[in-house]
Structure formats: C-alpha cells, structure tokens
Amino acid sequence: MGPLAGVRVLDLSRVLAGPWASQLLADLGADVVKVEAPGRGDDTRHWGPPELVAGEAAYFHAANRGKRSIALDLARDRDTLLALVDCADVVIENFKVGGLARFGLDYPSLKARRPELIYCSITGFGQDGPWAQRPGYDLLIQGLGGLMSITGQPDGVPGGGPVKVGVALVDILTGLYATIGIQAALRHRERTGEGQQIDLALLDVSVAVLANQAMNYLATGQAPGRLGNGHPNIVPYDVYPTRDGHLILAVGNDGQFAALAALLGEPGWAQDPDFATNAARVRQRHRLNALIAERLLARSSAEWSAMLEAAGVPGGPILALDALFALEQGAVRGWVQQVQRGEQSLPTLANPLHLSATPVCYGRASPALDGDRDSVLRDWLGQG
C-alpha cells in the first residue's frame, strides 16, 4: 500500500521514457497496466543479449517492474482499450504526434469522454513546433540537445570528440519529469476535479538539464566546449592519473583545496594568488592540473583515497560495476532487490527513494507478455 495506492495507470508507452515513469509510479503503489502489441510486445523485450529470462532481454526488465501486461491491438481491441481508459486515472503514451487520433485514443477524444483524465504524452520534440513530427531517440536528442557538445575530450587530444552519456539519460530524465508532472496533475485533480494533458518532449528535457552549462552560456554568450572530466566552474574537479590507475578529485571550496594542498606536500598553494581562490584556479586550470597530476603519481589510487577521506577532501576511485555492486554500502542501502514472477526470483535495481512511512514495494517482477490479461479484465472491467 504505497502512497499512490488506488491510482490506476494505463501505460501505452514503449521503450524507456514512458515505461520508466510508469515503473516509478508502480513502485509508489499505483496499479499499472502495460498495453503491448500482440505477439511481440514492447521492443525492449528483444533488445538483447543479454537476457534475464529466456526470450526476454535484461533491458526490458530495467523499466517494467511492478506492472501487469495485456496484449491489445489498437484497432481490433479498441472497445476494450476505451473501457480500460474509462477506469484509468492516468494514461501514458509516446506515439508520434497525432498517431492515436485515428483510434480515438488521442487526448482531445479522451478528454471529451473523461474530462478528469490525466494524459501524459511523451515525444521527441513536443506536440507543436516545426519539429513536432520528427521521431526522437535518446542518442539523437543528446546530440541536438547540447549534451554531446559538452561531453567528451576536447578536439585535438587523444580520444577527442563528442561522446554520449553511457545510459539513455534523456529518456530516464524525461521519465522522472513525467512522474513529477503526473503527481502534480493528480494533486490538481484532487482540488478541482479537472484532468489535463502533460506534453513532454525529450529535447525540452535535454535543454532543461543543461543547468549551469546553459546558464554559463546565457551569462556570457559563449558556447561552452568539452572539458573531458573537468568542470567548467570548479578546479580541481577532474580525473587524475595515479601510480596504478586513476583518481577523482572533486574540490568544491577553498578550505578543501587547502587541505588537498597540504596532503600533496604543497601547503603554500593555499596562499598563492594563482591558486588561493576558485576563480583563480579556474583561470590557472591547466597549470594547476599538471602540478596535481605530477604529485598524484607518487601513490596508488587506494592510498590516495584513504588519505583524502581522512583529510576531508572529496575524492575517490572509478569503479566498474562488479566492484560497485560488491561494496558494503550497496548491501546496506539495498541497491539490488529480488522480485517474483511466479516461482522465479529475479534481481532488480532498487528505487532510490527511502520513504519512512510508505516504503517502496518490490512485490512484482516485469510482466510476461499478455501474462495478466485475466486479472486486468477482472479487476478493471469486472469480467470473468
């Protein structure tokens, strides 16, 4: 019985952004019914190897925990779909703009039928504008939306060039914004009885999360470039070589820099006008980074990590996933949970929300295709 218990979500979305939102809603207690194409289902069921269970890619299980699945054809099963809409509080869809109109499943049609319905539309470029009809995929959006222009090594150095983030970050962030918008719309409906459409575009999200980089541009008119692992506004904040690998330093203020300087055997750096303030260090970025890198080569990453922790300087190693999931911190925080599908117990990544009164429930694994038809028709439509 999570905080969204009693909320019914009809999920017509596929791949990642929409399913990420509906998974989070399911984690919080909503009853989520995932509508899939008969015979094949969500594309991500086939985005493998690897597979988590036979015939189902691990990718699918990353975004569909806690839901029930029913396979319906938008044309042939339109009456059943409309009946499910009549029972839903929220509809989530990520079809091309206007793609659901011919089935009478677009927002104007459903608003006329149920004014209280909350309808979340996720597209690449939004419901209007000259690019509205374009398809949008995360890699494309990371490029168009500015992220790749600030991610990667600068031109002219080894490995230089734009690089995407290692996961489909814009899709995931769009799913989070969708969840926030849906909860805001539910609160509005509690007060007024009115539903609404939530129009979310991947490109809009990509622009919104440019954060300080976009504000740097708006303040100066100068487009920021790629700095590798460096930070445009803070120095030292980068990855440095050590005797046996690499080390992250994330020095956020002058006090931390003074502690680092002492640790490196250079306490005078904290009084040097070229290094004493963050603004000075940003101006002397390349010189200071070279000096730090030279000194860090004297010890191993593990040695430096322990010394940094003792000195109160933020820093540490870069972990591969096998090392990450071996950490005691992950065991204590519960990063991996087990969920059930019939007699099978399957691993899933934990929801990071730790709610003291209404904890996340991990009662149901990602569904088998059409595996919940009978229960959905019974619970929502009273059939059977």
Side-chain angles (χ1 to χ4, degrees):
M1 296 296 291
L4 297 183
V7 174
R8 286 177 166 177
V9 179
L10 189 66
D11 184 9
L12 306 181
S13 68
R14 301 138 299 163
V15 186
L16 190 53
W20 196 265
S22 58
Q23 177 175 262
L24 180 50
L25 295 171
D27 286 348
L28 296 174
D31 181 6
V32 178
V33 171
K34 182 178 181 67
V35 176
E36 301 188 69
R40 180 172 177 81
D42 193 312
D43 286 347
T44 59
R45 288 186 182 273
H46 313 284
W47 283 10
E51 294 181 341
L52 185 64
V53 297
E56 291 180 353
Y59 195 119
F60 174 78
H61 290 267
N64 289 286
R65 173 183 65 239
K67 309 173 190 179
R68 294 190 281 178
S69 170
I70 185 170
L72 296 171
D73 182 272
L74 296 182
R76 292 195 306 271
D77 298 312
R78 179 175 176 273
D79 289 345
T80 300
L81 277 165
L82 287 173
L84 291 172
V85 168
D86 287 342
C87 298
D89 299 290
V90 179
V91 169
I92 302 175
E93 60 90 9
N94 63 346
F95 286 77
K96 290 180 66 175
V97 173
L100 290 175
R102 61 193 177 102
F103 306 108
L105 295 168
D106 58 309
Y107 179 63
S109 298
L110 296 185
K111 179 183 180 182
R113 185 183 183 98
R114 292 194 64 224
E116 72 276 21
L117 183 68
I118 295 164
Y119 190 99
C120 182
S121 297
I122 298 173
T123 57
F125 300 96
Q127 297 295 305
D128 51 18
W131 289 2
Q133 292 298 324
R134 292 189 181 188
Y137 288 87
D138 186 274
L139 175 59
L140 174 65
I141 300 299
Q142 286 197 37
L144 288 172
L147 282 174
M148 290 176 66
S149 76
I150 55 174
T151 305
Q153 295 293 340
D155 292 334
V157 303
V163 177
K164 72 175 182 65
V165 181
V167 295
L169 185 64
V170 179
D171 276 337
I172 290 171
L173 291 170
T174 301
L176 296 177
Y177 273 107
T179 305
I180 295 167
I182 287 167
Q183 291 181 98
L186 286 167
R187 181 70 181 101
H188 173 75
R189 193 179 70 176
E190 286 179 3
R191 296 197 308 270
T192 68
E194 298 174 348
Q196 60 184 296
Q197 183 178 24
I198 301 165
D199 171 11
L200 260 177
L202 298 179
L203 184 59
D204 294 350
V205 170
S206 183
V207 173
V209 300
L210 291 173
N212 60 299
Q213 292 278 35
M215 291 307 300
N216 291 346
Y217 166 71
L218 294 176
T220 67
Q222 300 295 315
R226 298 185 302 277
L227 292 173
N229 294 304
H231 195 291
N233 303 109
I234 307 171
V235 176
Y237 195 103
D238 213 321
V239 175
Y240 301 86
T242 65
R243 191 173 64 197
D244 64 348
H246 292 87
L247 183 79
I248 292 171
L249 291 178
V251 174
N253 59 55
D254 296 339
Q256 291 173 355
F257 178 72
L260 173 65
L263 198 64
L264 296 177
E266 299 287 352
W269 285 357
Q271 286 76 47
D272 187 328
D274 284 346
F275 302 147
T277 66
N278 180 71
R281 294 192 295 273
V282 170
R283 289 191 292 269
Q284 296 291 332
R285 172 191 305 273
H286 299 297
R287 178 177 162 224
L288 178 58
N289 278 339
L291 291 170
I292 291 172
E294 180 181 354
R295 283 148 182 80
L296 290 176
L297 289 173
R299 300 178 186 272
S300 69
S301 297
E303 289 175 304
W304 282 122
S305 294
M307 294 169 67
L308 290 168
E309 182 175 359
V313 178
I318 299 170
L319 301 181
L321 295 198
D322 53 353
L324 172 67
F325 284 107
L327 292 176
E328 181 183 359
Q329 182 72 14
V332 172
R333 297 293 290 176
W335 291 346
V336 178
Q337 299 289 323
Q338 296 295 315
V339 287
Q340 293 297 127
R341 183 198 274 184
E343 298 301 316
Q344 287 183 293
S345 179
L346 303 175
T348 190
L349 290 176
N351 187 310
L353 291 171
H354 291 259
L355 300 168
S356 63
T358 53
V360 171
C361 177
Y362 300 98
R364 188 193 301 269
S366 300
L369 177 60
D370 203 34
D372 304 288
R373 173 177 291 272
D374 292 344
S375 69
V376 169
L377 295 179
R378 179 189 67 240
D379 295 347
W380 281 40
L381 304 184
Q383 298 179 9

